[in-house]
Amino acid sequence: MLTLLKSWAEPDAFHTVLNERSGRWYNACLRITRDADLAADAVQDALLKAWDRRAEFRGEAALDSWIHRIALNAAIDLTRKRKRRGEEELQDEVFEAPQSEAPAQEYVDQALTRDLAVAMQRLSAMERQVFLLKHIEGWPLDEIAESLQTNVNNVKSVLFRGIRKLRVVLHAWSES
Amino acid sequence: MISDDDLILYYYRDGLDAAERARIGAALAEQPELAQRLQRLVNRLDAAAAIPEVSVPAAAQQRWRAALDQAAQGQTTRKLKPTRTFFTPAPWLAAAAIVLVAITAVLRFNATPPAPVAQVTPPPATTPAVPAHLRL
């Protein structure tokens, strides 16, 4: 039992979960930051923070979920710092859809991807983050508020505003 | 009338109190068109969230592994750090001792020199040093 409890604290456990789940962390961070370098930095920050704080990890949640959450918070922090520095974001080429074998389906996929990119571009950084954290990551509103250093009512209004923008752009796709 | 915002919160099961949730749940059960509206709304949100995943750059993977290895190595190094003994004082104590010695040396070097000893000229030898009864 002691061995099981201690196993997550070993470097091997971190390497195993890194090999298996880093793609999920990276893509989640990429959605938040929209910057490949920042996403990679966020994952590295999360790994190091998780390693330093491994004594706090009680093993109730999977190590993967724990690091995933730390990585998202790191991505939010890095995006916030970049915003303070006034740097531009957006690297749309990183969101290119994978190639499809069927030409017609490929065209549809590319068109949808393009419209998704347009829809996401219309969102502010905070609108995008709130929507992604709520709709994809399933975070509770109060945790989103804490992570974004705001209150729940503000998170709600940002979420509604972002969704209204998305609905306008994606109206044609959802009806078809 | 139930707003789209309330439907969204109902879908997320978050941000509504129990009474409001019950009211919307009952309305959805009674009104098929409202249920369809919610379904259309969810479809749009799912479409917006359907961002294609990209593969992780190999360089990033290597960087993460190296960082993790370095962190693990650092932990080992910290563990191997020798404990301090009586003969290995704390760094701040050693630094304080050096500063004290330096200050003392500077003070001694810059101290004002002692006043020169006054040159007392001997009185003129007007009187002989030989007592009178012994003089020739």
Side-chain angles (χ1 to χ4, degrees), chain A residues 33-176:
Chain A
T33 61
R34 295 178 68 79
D35 182 304
D37 290 336
L38 276 188
D41 288 348
V43 171
Q44 181 166 323
D45 283 1
L47 276 170
L48 296 180
K49 277 181 190 164
W51 175 257
D52 283 345
R53 290 164 46 189
R54 62 196 186 284
E56 299 169 25
F57 180 63
R58 287 193 277 272
E60 292 159 1
L63 184 58
D64 160 44
S65 304
W66 189 54
I67 297 175
H68 185 100
R69 179 167 284 264
I70 297 173
L72 283 171
N73 275 312
I76 291 166
D77 283 345
L78 289 173
T79 309
R80 190 184 297 126
K81 285 174 188 166
R82 179 182 58 184
K83 193 178 175 186
R84 281 202 202 109
R85 292 198 304 265
E87 292 175 21
E88 287 296 318
E89 54 176 317
L90 301 181
Q91 284 187 355
D92 288 331
E93 65 274 16
V94 299
F95 290 111
E96 284 177 1
Q99 293 290 317
S100 170
E101 291 182 3
Q105 187 58 42
E106 184 179 339
Y107 175 80
V108 171
D109 288 346
Q110 286 177 355
L112 176 58
T113 303
R114 191 175 56 244
D115 282 6
L116 283 172
V118 169
M120 282 294 177
Q121 277 181 26
R122 292 193 61 187
L123 304 189
S124 69
M126 192 169 186
E127 289 165 353
R128 189 181 66 250
Q129 288 172 3
V130 167
F131 172 69
L132 293 171
L133 291 173
K134 187 68 219 174
H135 196 78
I136 296 184
E137 305 295 340
W139 282 22
L141 293 170
D142 55 349
E143 289 185 21
I144 296 173
E146 185 184 351
S147 186
L148 295 175
Q149 300 176 359
T150 184
N151 58 58
V152 170
N153 283 336
N154 192 37
V155 168
K156 279 186 191 176
S157 54
V158 169
L159 178 67
F160 297 149
R161 196 169 61 233
I163 286 176
R164 270 192 285 276
K165 288 183 186 176
L166 289 173
R167 289 176 66 189
V168 170
V169 177
L170 297 173
H171 179 76
W173 289 106
S174 58
E175 295 301 317
S176 60

Side-chain angles (χ1 to χ4, degrees), chain B residues 11 27 31 44 47 54 63 66 81 92 99 114 132:
Chain B
Y11 170 72
Q31 305 169 33
R44 284 178 201 172
V54 297
R63 184 154 68 91
K81 196 175 176 181
W92 66 266
V99 170

Side-chain angles (χ1 to χ4, degrees), chain A residues 14-15 19 22-23 27 31 40-41 44 94-95 116 120 134-135 140-141 156 160 164 167 170-171 174-175, chain B residues 4-5 12 14-15 41 44-48 50-54 56 61 63-65 67-69 71 75:
Chain A
F14 275 70
H15 275 296
N19 290 337
S22 60
N27 275 281
R31 289 188 201 105
D41 288 348
Q44 181 166 323
V94 299
F95 290 111
L116 283 172
M120 282 294 177
K134 187 68 219 174
H135 196 78
L141 293 170
K156 279 186 191 176
F160 297 149
R164 270 192 285 276
R167 289 176 66 189
L170 297 173
H171 179 76
S174 58
E175 295 301 317
Chain B
D4 283 352
D5 290 351
Y12 286 141
D14 195 4
L41 186 54
R44 284 178 201 172
L45 299 183
D46 287 344
I51 301 168
E53 296 225 329
V54 297
V56 180
Q61 281 271 12
R63 184 154 68 91
W64 299 336
R65 284 198 201 97
L68 193 54
D69 286 341
Q75 179 67 20

